[in-house]
Amino acid sequence: MIWMAVIFSASGDRQSFNRSSRIIGPFLQWFFPGIPDENMSRVVTFVRKCAHLTEYAVLAILFWRAITEPRWREKIPWSSRTAWAAVAFVAVYAASDEFHQSLVPGRQGQFSDVVLDTIGGCAGMGIVWMITCARARVIRERAA
């Protein structure tokens, strides 16, 4: 719930692009003096989209953990059904977040961001799957 509140509060920020530019811009200027504004804008947009992926990957992992009681001694505490439920939750929350953004002056909701956020949820579940498979392998090797 706390992570969802963080996402919700960030989507209500009217000047979020400008704030991102103030943080990322000086780093770009230091590494690439004289970088054109157009290129800086592209890099800021890229970083912001990566942040979308990351924040929704974290949301998917937290949701998965909240609805699952993984027993790490199981061979694979993984359920594709639960993973898809986490991805569906992320997609619905992303859509509601974009709707919220459409109500904020100076912001707009974008379907492409919902897709990106859902991809982030899939990435989060991919991380969980890789961790559970690695743990299962370790358990099998110890048992042998």
Side-chain angles (χ1 to χ4, degrees):
M1 295 299 285
I2 292 171
W3 192 248
M4 291 167 59
V6 168
I7 293 171
F8 183 81
S9 67
S11 70
D13 184 3
R14 295 179 192 183
Q15 299 297 320
S16 64
F17 188 87
N18 293 334
R19 291 186 217 293
S20 299
S21 297
R22 280 191 287 158
I23 294 169
I24 299 166
F27 285 111
L28 289 173
Q29 289 291 341
W30 188 72
F31 283 112
F32 306 104
I35 185 172
D37 288 342
E38 181 179 314
N39 290 350
M40 188 174 314
S41 179
R42 286 182 183 150
V43 172
V44 170
T45 299
F46 175 76
V47 170
R48 290 173 54 82
K49 297 305 177 183
C50 287
H52 265 268
L53 281 170
T54 303
E55 69 189 38
Y56 281 90
V58 169
L59 181 61
I61 292 168
L62 291 172
F63 182 83
W64 177 84
R65 181 62 182 95
I67 63 173
T68 305
E69 290 186 33
R71 292 167 195 88
W72 293 114
R73 299 201 190 287
E74 292 178 11
K75 290 192 178 190
I76 299 180
W78 172 260
S79 162
S80 59
R81 186 173 172 192
T82 307
W84 284 115
V87 171
F89 174 78
V90 164
V92 169
Y93 190 76
S96 71
D97 184 53
E98 291 302 314
F99 176 73
H100 170 242
Q101 282 185 34
S102 72
L103 301 175
V104 174
R107 302 279 315 255
Q108 59 187 17
Q110 296 180 340
F111 180 74
S112 61
D113 281 348
V114 174
V115 172
L116 187 65
D117 298 341
T118 304
I119 291 169
C122 290
M125 288 299 89
I127 291 167
V128 170
W129 179 76
M130 288 187 300
I131 291 170
T132 57
C133 287
R135 285 179 151 280
R137 187 175 36 244
V138 168
I139 291 169
R140 279 193 305 269
E141 289 172 359
R142 286 184 184 166

